[in-house]
Amino acid sequence: QDKIRLPYDEGLIGELESMNFVLKENGKLKIETPDGMTDDRVMSLALAVWNCGERLGTLEGSGEFNLYGTNYA
């Protein structure tokens, strides 16, 4: 949909590629980073996207999302 365009930033891309998503037994999704890495750029990007969606009225608030073909609630 071309709603988000990411800059070519090696640090951001490295953080995005290193993120691990673990579905816990209680159904919650846990996001982890490898030891020695941070998620600062990823979280900054997430907050920026969330803020844009909120201002544009595009957040549905369902609490569900799709990540790499897997649906999470």
Side-chain angles (χ1 to χ4, degrees):
Q1 295 177 350
D2 285 331
K3 292 184 179 182
I4 300 172
R5 292 181 187 239
L6 299 178
Y8 183 78
D9 178 280
E10 290 183 14
L12 173 60
I13 293 168
E15 284 185 19
L16 287 167
E17 290 177 340
S18 72
M19 302 295 286
N20 295 310
F21 300 88
V22 179
L23 186 59
K24 306 300 270 182
E25 290 181 16
N26 62 7
K28 302 268 182 184
L29 184 67
K30 183 175 182 177
I31 302 171
E32 302 175 332
T33 56
D35 289 341
M37 292 197 73
T38 67
D39 62 0
D40 296 348
R41 290 179 179 106
V42 172
M43 291 298 120
S44 295
L45 174 63
L47 288 170
V49 169
W50 177 77
N51 184 43
C52 288
E54 185 176 75
R55 286 186 295 127
L56 296 174
T58 57
L59 293 179
E60 296 176 11
S62 69
E64 298 179 7
F65 65 97
N66 182 292
L67 180 68
Y68 301 119
T70 302
N71 290 315
Y72 297 94

